[in-house]
């Protein structure tokens, strides 16, 4: 199954660069971190679910990179660009070996089923 993404042919040529350059530098920075670190959590301040994901990983004795962008009132445009790029609508976003595995609940399921060890 593939996700729906508006085909470029359905985007007027005059706005394609606006869309493709939306926080492009920021997304490229994220990609570099995800590709260079085996375990990355992207979160936001004031969100207890992001902290819970970090606690789960710490409890497992796993090293991870934590990236925090703003809170409910700040840097929402960057977080929106991340949501558009990944297709994931909430924070945290957890990446294992460059693969988005979901959020805190998904991470918990992977840990409880020993699937995280296999990834």
């Amino acid at each position: 199954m593939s996700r729906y993404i508006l085909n470029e042919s359905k985007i007027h040529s005059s706005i394609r660069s606006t869309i493709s350059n939306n926080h492009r530098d920021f997304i490229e920075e994220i990609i570099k971190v995800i590709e260079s670190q085996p375990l990355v959590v992207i979160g936001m301040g004031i969100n207890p679910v992001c902290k819970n994901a970090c606690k789960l990983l710490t409890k497992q004795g796993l090293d991870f990179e934590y990236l925090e962008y703003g809170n409910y009132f700040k840097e929402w445009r960057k977080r929106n660009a991340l949501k558009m790029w990944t297709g994931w609508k909430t924070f945290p976003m957890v990446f294992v070996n460059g693969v988005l595995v979901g959020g805190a609940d998904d991470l918990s399921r992977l840990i409880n089923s020993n699937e995280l060890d296999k990834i």
Side-chain angles (χ1 to χ4, degrees):
M1 175 194 280
S2 65
R3 63 184 202 172
Y4 288 112
I5 298 175
L6 187 60
N7 188 294
E8 192 168 330
S9 67
K10 301 293 183 184
I11 299 170
H12 193 273
S13 60
S14 67
I15 65 167
R16 285 184 190 150
S17 66
T18 301
I19 291 171
S20 66
N21 290 322
N22 180 35
H23 292 285
R24 185 179 198 91
D25 293 343
F26 171 67
I27 298 298
E28 288 174 351
E29 286 176 29
I30 298 294
I31 291 169
K32 286 179 187 175
V33 173
I34 290 168
E35 289 176 347
S36 69
Q37 300 295 320
L39 193 50
V40 178
V41 177
I42 302 174
M44 57 184 277
I46 314 176
N47 185 329
V49 182
C50 297
K51 306 292 186 258
N52 290 343
C54 293
K55 287 177 186 175
L56 283 170
L57 293 170
T58 300
K59 186 177 177 182
Q60 296 298 309
L62 297 170
D63 291 329
F64 60 95
E65 183 81 21
Y66 180 66
L67 306 174
E68 184 173 281
Y69 296 101
N71 56 44
Y72 292 102
F73 308 107
K74 295 179 183 176
E75 295 188 337
W76 64 268
R77 286 180 178 89
K78 284 184 174 180
R79 289 193 312 277
N80 191 51
L82 275 171
K83 290 176 181 183
M84 292 171 62
W85 173 64
T86 62
W88 193 252
K89 61 184 181 175
T90 60
F91 288 92
M93 296 177 180
V94 181
F95 291 84
V96 179
N97 293 324
V99 176
L100 176 64
V101 297
D105 291 340
D106 306 287
L107 176 62
S108 181
R109 280 192 289 279
L110 287 174
I111 290 170
N112 292 334
S113 68
N114 295 319
E115 286 293 313
L116 186 61
D117 297 335
K118 296 175 186 174
I119 300 174

